[in-house]
Amino acid sequence: MSSPRTLFDKIWDSHVVLSRGAQSLLYIDRHIVHDGSFHAFNMLRARGLAVRRPAQNFGTPDHYVPTHGRSPADAATPEIRGMIETLERNLAETGIQRYPLDDIRQGIVHVVGPEQGITLPGLTLVCGDSHTSSHGALGAFAFGIGQSENLHVLATQTLWQTRPRTMRIAVEGRLAAGVSPKDVVLAIVAHIGAGGAVGHVVEFAGSAIRAMSVEGRLTVCNMSIEAGARAGLIAPDDTTFAYVAGRPLAPQGEAFDRALAQWRGLPSDPGAAFDRETTLDAAAIAPMVTWGTSPEDALPIDAVVPDAKPQALAYMGLVPGTRLTDIAIDRVFIGSCTNSRIEDLRAAAAMLRGRKARVPTLVVPGSGLVKAQAEAEGLDKLFLAAGFEWRHAGCSMCVGINGETGRPLERIASTSNRNFEGRQGKGVRTHLLSPAMAAAAAVEGRLVDIRGIA
Amino acid sequence: MEKFVAFTAVAAPYEPENVDTDQILPARFLKMPRGGGRHYGDFLFNDLRRGDDGAERPEFVLNRPEFRAARILVGNANFGCGSSREGAVYAFLDAGFRSVVAPSFGDIFFNNCLKNGIVPVRLDAASCAALRARLVARPGTEIAVDLEALELRVADGPTHRFEVDSFFREMLLKGVDEVGLTIGLLAEIEGFERRHHAANAWAAR
Ligand code: SF4
């Protein structure tokens, strides 16, 4: 009998090509590139190398894309347009599967992967973006890499990796009304700290996680990187399998059944050992909001601004003791790979009830397919009636490099994942929160405790 | 990759924890090609280093006369967290930095450093704190990062041992090209791939 293994151990062990000391050459099943990945292609070309396995590589523009039109010509500047066109050229030249800007399947890499069935349980998946941790929600070992590593994968379909340590975070019990997966992950990051999981792969477990949809699990795994985790993981279960079934690139028919038989063996064995374990009480989690400039600076919405981190408070323009619900906001952004899937948009729309936005609010779906689905459900009408802007898919104000940034000193309630200084534009102040909290903030013009209205 | 045996330079202290790569290189500079006219090093810590008008902020550590020559940074916990942007490492490299010292690093930043010939030195939190305090008290202090001996030597001060994974240490010492090395293993990769795809048909493409 072999000893009990974790989900992570199983995926890792089945992907090691060979080892050299503490380094393992890990086989990479899927690789996704985006419009920021140009250095990797330049290096590939400069070295006269080819993409070794084009069929295992995928590309979609997201970071630089305009959200008010679907042509590269709609880009904010010629330089930004060049980023989108360069990706197009690189993908066309190398024969990598592409989802160009005018393709309904285009979107944020971490939305497109699961949606298209690029992401499957048990795979290794990498992308030149730190939030690749998202894909672990389906039980894949997925992590972000730099562009030298993109090059390495393009050329060899492998990566040299140090085996990370493992950590299990259990969230047990039921979430209260108005508390979403975003609140859960903000609570986790606040609990273990922005560096709390460095060097670890985190498996999220417990009844509250199991009760989540795949969309919710993606939100949780997405922000595992904000605790420093190498990757997030959730054991694949019937919820996962139902989500995967029928996806364009998932195995179909009998092939699916055979895959399913193997996937059922992936979850951590009873008694499998983790290097660290911690448990949170789901019922104790409140709607969360960040007050500072690190995602760990998150507090329940009924708290007050703490007397801590003076530099962060100075940047945020906040005074200790201020009630979070007294903070007025200037703008709202609903989108990003954390919260731009259909459930997120439904949760935001549900808060409107005919009310109007008091501040400019941008809603940016995660993919063309999410946009189409939202429109089929009439969510776009609700947003537009509330005075929100309804855009095409992309990263948009999450990082602002498509030109959509806030203005200096503007205070933005945002469903994205990073409240770093300057993240949404120079001098912009970001408060991270859930889609429902963001929509409520839009109609109130300040941060609100949605438990009073949800 | 440029090889790295030992590197000696003035070190600058950098106190904040959780320094994210957005601070090291703001996103709007990520469009720049490498090489050519524009230099990533010019934008290292750009928005902390310069005011809105582009003028240097004299109080920022790397702008202070005693640290202008600094080419090693001694930081704090979780240095280089956040975005995977390799541009943050290009910024250090192009500015002449070959080493960053901290109690812990963001995983992706750490790997990006190794792939670009920058040695990320993990040193315990107390030693890092003492080192930063020393750099403040005696500005201009030089540090030697000796990858051969795995020693960090502080001028007129203590010597610390550090660890670097032996695989990467070898590669850095010899300036071995990682992609070239892996391409030399293609036969093994192909063999693995055949077995892997036979055993997991659903994973094959
Ligand atoms: S939405 Fe934001 S965090 Fe996600 S991939 Fe795009 S820029 Fe990165």
Side-chain angles (χ1 to χ4, degrees):
Chain A
M1 269 294 284
S2 56
S3 52
R5 290 188 301 163
T6 65
L7 165 58
F8 167 73
D9 295 331
K10 294 177 193 183
I11 303 178
W12 177 273
D13 293 348
S14 65
H15 285 84
V16 174
V17 177
L18 52 90
S19 294
R20 292 270 169 92
Q23 291 299 314
S24 294
L25 186 65
L26 204 64
Y27 190 75
I28 303 300
D29 293 311
R30 304 285 186 267
H31 177 214
I32 312 180
V33 296
H34 55 76
D35 44 7
S37 309
F38 64 103
H39 293 299
F41 286 96
N42 287 346
M43 291 188 272
L44 190 77
R45 208 171 289 122
R47 302 171 64 127
L49 294 169
V51 176
R52 186 169 164 263
R53 304 276 300 180
Q56 287 169 235
N57 293 262
F58 305 86
T60 184
D62 56 2
H63 286 70
Y64 290 91
V65 304
T67 60
H68 53 267
R70 289 288 86 172
S71 159
D74 296 319
T77 69
E79 208 184 5
I80 291 174
R81 171 182 182 163
M83 300 298 290
I84 304 164
E85 290 174 340
T86 300
L87 175 73
E88 274 303 303
R89 218 169 29 248
N90 284 331
L91 296 178
E93 274 173 21
T94 51
I96 293 176
Q97 165 76 56
R98 63 203 158 107
Y99 304 102
L101 197 48
D102 58 1
D103 188 314
I104 194 169
R105 300 169 297 175
Q106 175 272 344
I108 306 173
V109 278
H110 314 310
V111 176
V112 172
E115 201 169 71
Q116 290 301 317
I118 296 167
T119 317
L120 298 172
L123 293 180
T124 53
L125 183 151
V126 296
C127 171
D129 188 278
S130 58
H131 292 99
T132 308
S133 59
S134 311
H135 307 250
L138 281 86
F141 175 42
F143 53 97
I145 57 176
Q147 298 216 23
S148 296
E149 293 174 305
N150 285 130
L151 163 70
H152 196 279
V153 179
L154 289 170
T156 70
Q157 208 59 40
T158 63
L159 271 181
W160 291 99
Q161 288 286 301
T162 316
R163 188 180 188 122
R165 290 183 295 276
T166 55
M167 182 170 179
R168 183 177 187 270
I169 299 180
V171 187
E172 300 286 0
R174 280 174 64 112
L175 296 175
V179 178
S180 74
K182 179 65 162 285
D183 303 302
V184 172
V185 73
L186 284 171
I188 289 172
V189 176
H191 181 67
I192 67 174
V198 166
H200 291 74
V201 166
V202 175
E203 181 174 336
F204 298 97
S207 52
I209 301 288
R210 282 198 302 278
M212 286 180 193
S213 66
V214 167
E215 284 82 355
R217 295 174 186 187
L218 283 160
T219 300
V220 173
C221 287
N222 174 275
M223 287 193 70
S224 56
I225 181 72
E226 306 314 332
R230 190 85 180 105
L233 266 178
I234 292 174
D237 59 9
D238 287 338
T239 303
T240 321
F241 306 139
Y243 176 93
V244 167
R247 301 271 159 195
L249 297 172
Q252 312 284 337
E254 276 177 38
F256 183 83
D257 297 336
R258 281 194 297 274
L260 189 58
Q262 287 184 288
W263 293 340
R264 289 204 187 279
L266 284 170
S268 298
D269 299 327
F274 292 81
D275 296 304
R276 284 166 64 198
E277 294 198 46
T278 184
T279 301
L280 274 77
D281 175 10
I285 300 174
M288 302 288 286
V289 63
T290 62
W291 52 268
T293 56
S294 164
E296 71 178 10
D297 303 336
L299 280 171
I301 181 67
D302 52 6
V304 298
V305 173
D307 194 356
K309 298 196 182 182
Q311 195 195 325
L313 289 181
Y315 181 85
M316 293 298 291
L318 293 174
V319 178
T322 308
R323 279 200 302 245
L324 293 174
T325 48
D326 284 343
I327 297 175
I329 51 153
D330 303 310
R331 192 181 281 279
V332 173
F333 172 62
I334 299 174
S336 91
C337 56
T338 313
N339 283 128
S340 64
R341 284 168 286 268
I342 190 66
E343 287 191 358
D344 301 314
L345 303 185
R346 286 181 194 141
M351 298 307 296
L352 299 177
R353 299 204 199 105
R355 291 179 292 173
K356 294 258 187 245
R358 286 180 194 237
V359 297
T361 299
L362 193 60
V363 189
V364 183
S367 71
L369 287 168
V370 169
K371 179 169 188 281
Q373 164 109 33
E375 289 171 358
E377 296 181 15
L379 303 183
D380 58 325
K381 303 251 167 19
L382 298 176
F383 292 136
L384 291 167
F388 292 9
E389 288 188 61
W390 174 243
R391 296 284 184 88
H392 291 284
C395 295
S396 182
M397 285 194 84
C398 173
V399 67
I401 51 182
N402 69 339
E404 290 164 2
T405 55
R407 283 191 285 274
L409 303 187
E410 228 173 16
R411 188 180 295 288
I412 305 184
S414 177
T415 66
S416 55
N417 42 51
R418 288 186 172 143
N419 51 350
F420 298 156
E421 287 188 25
R423 174 76 179 184
Q424 295 188 297
K426 227 175 160 183
V428 173
R429 297 156 168 170
T430 303
H431 294 274
L432 303 176
L433 33 53
S434 73
M437 290 274 285
V443 295
E444 298 284 342
R446 61 179 174 85
L447 300 177
V448 264
D449 188 343
I450 58 168
R451 288 172 301 185
I453 32 183
Chain B
M1 182 173 60
E2 219 182 310
K3 74 179 188 180
F4 188 117
V5 179
F7 181 71
T8 304
V10 170
Y14 201 66
E15 201 57 40
E17 290 187 3
N18 302 318
V19 172
D20 59 78
T21 54
D22 278 68
Q23 307 314 309
I24 299 170
L25 187 75
R28 63 185 185 279
F29 300 114
L30 294 174
K31 294 186 288 295
M32 297 186 297
R34 287 261 21 229
R38 285 201 276 185
H39 209 229
Y40 275 75
D42 294 345
F43 305 103
L44 176 67
F45 289 115
N46 187 76
D47 291 356
L48 296 165
R49 201 165 182 166
R50 296 184 183 84
D52 292 337
D53 53 359
E56 284 192 355
R57 292 190 167 116
E59 70 281 10
F60 186 73
V61 60
L62 296 178
N63 290 337
R64 287 164 48 188
E66 62 273 32
F67 294 119
R68 292 195 85 91
R71 297 295 179 265
I72 293 175
L73 200 73
V74 181
N76 210 332
N78 200 23
F79 190 90
C81 64
S83 163
S84 64
R85 61 188 67 174
E86 197 160 313
V89 170
Y90 301 157
F92 273 117
L93 192 66
D94 289 358
F97 285 72
R98 294 298 303 278
S99 185
V100 180
V101 183
S104 60
F105 293 90
D107 283 333
I108 310 176
F109 178 82
F110 186 86
N111 285 340
N112 286 341
C113 282
L114 290 174
K115 317 274 154 158
N116 284 281
I118 290 187
V119 173
V121 176
R122 284 194 190 109
L123 206 62
D124 66 277
S127 300
C128 280
L131 195 47
R132 289 193 306 272
R134 189 182 186 95
L135 298 176
V136 171
R138 305 181 196 193
T141 295
E142 287 198 342
I143 286 180
V145 174
D146 187 336
L147 187 63
E148 183 103 69
L150 290 172
E151 278 178 4
L152 185 154
R153 292 186 295 272
V154 183
D156 306 317
T159 291
H160 300 278
R161 297 276 307 164
F162 65 90
E163 293 296 326
V164 171
D165 177 85
S166 59
F167 177 83
F168 285 113
R169 178 168 170 266
E170 276 296 291
M171 276 210 282
L172 285 160
L173 286 173
K174 296 184 182 143
V176 172
D177 168 57
E178 190 182 322
V179 174
L181 180 138
T182 309
I183 287 176
L185 298 167
L186 264 187
E188 281 92 333
I189 296 171
E190 282 166 6
F192 174 89
E193 199 164 54
R194 271 194 301 277
R195 292 190 301 278
H196 178 60
H197 288 161
N200 307 284
W202 53 272
R205 275 190 58 77

